[in-house]
Amino acid sequence: MAAYGRSRKTSAAPEAIWRWWSDPSTWQDWNPNVQRMEVNGPFANGTTGIMHTPSGQHHQIVFNNVRPGQSFDLETSVIPLTHFRFHCEVVPNTDGSTISQHLHITGPLGFVFGPMAGERVAASFEPLLAGLAAKAEAPGSPA
């Protein structure tokens, strides 16, 4: 299974990144792929919700593998017979953090849609990672 992703360095501390990433109610403020989020509980394993995108799509999502302050997976099925797992991670470095998001596409048709769409979807991670970094680097941003 191939992973398609992007990473970016930021001067923001990992705690500042995590503050924004673990609060889906803020995602529309820095992620151009999100119009709004409806989450049915805390940011924890098994919590479900709906992601509303600017194109009007409404995706059922579930959070898994939540490691507070470090990483989480957002899982959904946006194409029939596929499973999309977005792995989001923040790692401390000497100048702040490295943030990354990777997509894994599985399911009966994953082998078709992965090569067709994986890299195109991963390219959309660049502006969202830039938005997240900018939000966390902003003066007065809570850590």
Side-chain angles (χ1 to χ4, degrees):
M1 165 182 58
Y4 306 90
R6 298 290 189 275
S7 295
R8 152 182 209 106
K9 290 187 178 188
T10 172
S11 61
E15 299 80 14
I17 294 293
W18 190 256
R19 157 51 185 102
W20 294 103
W21 227 344
S22 64
D23 183 359
S25 71
T26 70
W27 288 10
Q28 71 275 357
D29 298 336
W30 52 265
N31 183 338
N33 301 320
V34 174
Q35 185 176 47
R36 72 183 164 93
M37 293 289 294
E38 295 177 41
V39 179
N40 304 314
F43 192 80
N45 290 327
T47 296
T48 61
I50 300 173
M51 177 185 291
H52 299 271
T53 66
S55 65
Q57 296 176 337
H58 313 288
H59 302 295
Q60 298 286 331
I61 58 105
V62 63
F63 293 107
N64 283 312
N65 302 312
V66 177
R67 296 173 55 213
Q70 299 175 30
S71 63
F72 67 93
D73 292 342
L74 182 149
E75 299 183 40
T76 189
S77 180
V78 296
I79 300 172
L81 300 176
T82 64
H83 180 83
F84 284 42
R85 180 171 56 90
F86 296 86
H87 180 72
C88 307
E89 185 171 36
V90 57
V91 176
N93 66 36
T94 56
D95 300 321
S97 308
T98 300
I99 52 178
S100 61
Q101 185 162 311
H102 289 83
L103 169 63
H104 302 267
I105 303 174
T106 59
L109 292 180
F111 75 98
V112 173
F113 287 105
M116 282 178 46
E119 192 55 38
R120 184 172 43 87
V121 173
S124 75
F125 299 162
E126 292 174 11
L128 80 86
L129 292 173
L132 175 59
K135 202 69 156 163
E137 292 169 357
S141 176

